[in-house]
Amino acid sequence: MELPKNIVLEPELVRLLETGESLPLWDRLRLAVAMEAAERFPETPVCLQTQAQSPVLPACYLSVGKLTETRRMETISAYAAQVTVRWEPGKRPGAPALLDQARRQLMEGLKRLPLRKDAPPMAVSEITGEEQDGAALVTAKVLLWAEQLPEEEEGPVIRQAQQQVDALEQ
């Protein structure tokens, strides 16, 4: 997966990406949101982790909160999450106009999330945007689906075929 250069990842996520390990559902969602924001604001750092001190502004901060998990079928679960994206312009001329433009762009980006090839299966609802404390704040409810494969990946057909192969080899 090719990530835009302006995405700031947390160390554990960097490790997962470098080793090629399968990403948890929440991390896949966070990366999809980050990539959408990074494409809309290519000159702005998009942070998946909170900045400890004196962040470089403008900056975009993401958070995903797990709301609920519901088992829909034996192997399929549905999740509802709240995604929050905060864009801070810093002390820039024309900040109010920039905030409105950023809010609209972020709302449009969240609407497009289900269309991304790198995103998990999802639907986005209830997108809200506002200006708060000198920043554009956009929140959306996201519904995700995940299939959990049984721990025993071999099904009865594979077991039966393996038994036949074993019998022939004897």
Side-chain angles (χ1 to χ4, degrees):
M1 174 186 306
E2 185 76 22
L3 292 177
K5 301 284 186 228
N6 59 327
I7 295 180
V8 180
L9 299 173
E10 32 196 46
E12 179 60 20
L13 196 50
V14 170
R15 186 192 66 74
L16 287 173
L17 290 169
E18 287 175 350
T19 61
E21 292 181 44
S22 177
L23 294 176
L25 181 66
W26 299 112
D27 287 335
R28 289 177 52 211
L29 172 60
R30 290 174 35 194
L31 278 177
V33 173
M35 291 175 71
E36 193 65 43
E39 290 169 6
R40 292 178 182 280
F41 303 101
E43 302 299 319
T44 302
V46 176
C47 305
L48 286 151
Q49 63 182 7
T50 56
Q51 297 297 310
Q53 296 176 343
S54 61
V56 176
L57 295 178
C60 197
Y61 299 96
L62 312 177
S63 66
V64 175
K66 181 178 174 184
L67 298 178
T68 60
E69 175 183 358
T70 307
R71 174 117 16 216
R72 296 287 184 202
M73 302 175 94
E74 186 175 325
T75 60
I76 297 177
S77 291
Y79 301 87
Q82 181 171 313
V83 174
T84 303
V85 184
R86 182 179 181 89
W87 184 80
E88 297 185 19
K91 305 241 186 268
R92 298 172 63 178
L98 290 173
L99 285 176
D100 185 55
Q101 181 182 11
R103 181 183 51 79
R104 284 186 278 120
Q105 285 185 15
L106 290 170
M107 290 176 78
E108 186 60 35
L110 289 175
K111 279 188 222 174
R112 290 182 28 81
L113 273 180
L115 304 176
R116 294 191 66 89
K117 291 180 182 175
D118 50 17
M122 71 171 81
V124 178
S125 66
E126 295 184 45
I127 300 173
T128 60
E130 62 181 326
E131 293 177 24
Q132 188 180 77
D133 299 328
L137 186 67
V138 176
T139 303
K141 285 191 179 177
V142 179
L143 304 174
L144 301 113
W145 295 270
E147 184 173 5
Q148 290 84 25
L149 296 175
E151 299 219 4
E152 183 182 300
E153 290 186 29
E154 294 181 355
V157 174
I158 294 173
R159 276 190 302 249
Q160 182 181 7
Q162 186 62 48
Q163 288 170 354
Q164 290 173 350
V165 168
D166 292 344
L168 291 173
E169 290 179 348
Q170 292 179 354

